[in-house]
Amino acid sequence: ALDSEIVYFDREVGTTGLRADVFPSIVWNQEKNWGFLRTSFGYRYTAYDLDRNEGPGGNSPDRGVEILTVDGGLFFEKYRDNGDLQTLEPRIFYLYVPFEDQASLPDFDTAQFTFGFSQMFHYNRFTGADRQGDANRLTLALTTRALNTSTGRDRWSLSVGQILYFDDQRVTVDQAMPTNLDTSPFIAELSWHPLDRLSGRVGAQWNWEEAELDVGTLALDYTTPGQQRVGFEY
């Protein structure tokens, strides 16, 4: 696989210039009806040709870092009395990215992703290419869902998960302090589909470190016959 991007940033104030980001990787997938194993190893290289407008730092900084992921899961199924198919889907995801000092790189379009269930399986906690987060972490997750066997649609699904950190997270943006955590917030998300066009979602993130609720979410979505979508989220 190969992901690549070339962008030129121009603005009235601050650093301008060219950024080239190249991420080749070797991916190996094994998928069965009872589970899957996906492993990948890649090298992400980012280089710049900058005009810093007399600011600090050189005009041609670069960064190269290895990225290793191992993602595996199992599928268990049973039929319920009402004919629905009930699943149990444990999943484990390991991510390793060594630390690389990136203080000399500019920050054109980087921010930290909003933490959520899908973010626990991503190789970078930052948007853009200016920062590649270091990581040595293990995600443990479990999903169960009820499927309508005649339509294949979820009637409801429940997912829970948490990240275990083995090292501090040293790469930051906006001169923030490194993050020293043993675990991420514990995430639980419940989705419910009472009707074909109506769905609801309830989510929560519980912070073990602070013993408090970080985020709670309540959402409703309705899709009209004309495919317009109306949503509410709190």
Side-chain angles (χ1 to χ4, degrees):
L2 175 64
D3 291 329
S4 60
E5 177 187 69
I6 298 177
V7 189
Y8 185 84
F9 294 93
D10 191 17
R11 53 189 174 185
E12 295 295 330
V13 178
T15 300
T16 63
L18 184 75
R19 182 184 72 197
D21 182 49
V22 181
F23 182 20
S25 61
I26 298 174
V27 184
W28 181 72
N29 289 343
Q30 286 290 307
E31 297 189 8
K32 306 292 183 181
N33 59 356
W34 46 264
F36 66 90
L37 178 63
R38 308 183 186 111
T39 61
S40 69
F41 178 78
Y43 184 80
R44 189 176 192 183
Y45 179 74
T46 309
Y48 297 83
D49 183 13
L50 304 173
D51 181 358
R52 292 190 182 265
N53 296 323
E54 300 182 356
N59 290 329
S60 301
D62 63 353
R63 177 206 62 219
V65 65
E66 302 85 3
I67 300 175
L68 170 69
T69 66
V70 181
D71 190 5
L74 297 172
F75 303 124
F76 300 97
E77 301 176 345
K78 73 171 185 178
Y79 286 97
R80 305 174 65 188
D81 294 340
N82 63 357
D84 287 352
L85 185 67
Q86 180 81 44
T87 72
L88 188 66
E89 307 166 28
R91 183 178 178 184
I92 187 170
F93 176 81
Y94 177 73
L95 171 66
Y96 179 76
V97 184
F99 171 75
E100 180 77 15
D101 187 1
Q102 299 165 50
S104 64
L105 304 185
D107 180 2
F108 287 120
D109 59 356
T110 293
Q112 190 152 338
F113 279 112
T114 300
F115 186 66
F117 193 81
S118 62
Q119 182 59 24
M120 295 195 297
F121 307 99
H122 199 277
Y123 66 85
N124 194 10
R125 59 183 180 271
F126 301 107
T127 63
D130 296 321
R131 297 293 183 273
Q132 171 60 54
D134 55 320
N136 182 15
R137 71 186 207 192
L138 183 70
T139 297
L140 303 176
L142 181 67
T143 297
T144 181
R145 69 184 82 237
L147 296 162
N148 184 324
T149 54
S150 61
T151 64
R153 291 174 56 89
D154 287 8
R155 292 191 187 274
W156 58 265
S157 64
L158 173 65
S159 298
V160 296
Q162 189 169 31
I163 300 175
L164 308 179
Y165 299 106
F166 304 121
D167 291 325
D168 295 348
Q169 300 173 79
R170 299 169 60 187
V171 178
T172 62
V173 292
D174 299 328
Q175 298 180 341
M177 295 296 294
T179 303
N180 180 11
L181 296 174
D182 295 327
T183 62
S184 73
F186 180 82
I187 293 183
E189 291 187 357
L190 173 65
S191 296
W192 181 44
H193 307 276
L195 301 172
D196 288 345
R197 301 187 181 279
L198 180 66
S199 63
R201 179 168 52 88
V202 178
Q205 295 183 23
W206 177 259
N207 190 323
W208 294 110
E209 303 281 341
E210 303 294 334
E212 64 182 13
L213 185 68
D214 277 350
V215 180
T217 303
L218 173 64
L220 290 173
D221 285 284
Y222 177 75
T223 303
T224 69
Q227 298 304 307
Q228 286 85 14
R229 180 169 174 262
V230 180
F232 164 82
E233 183 169 335
Y234 175 76

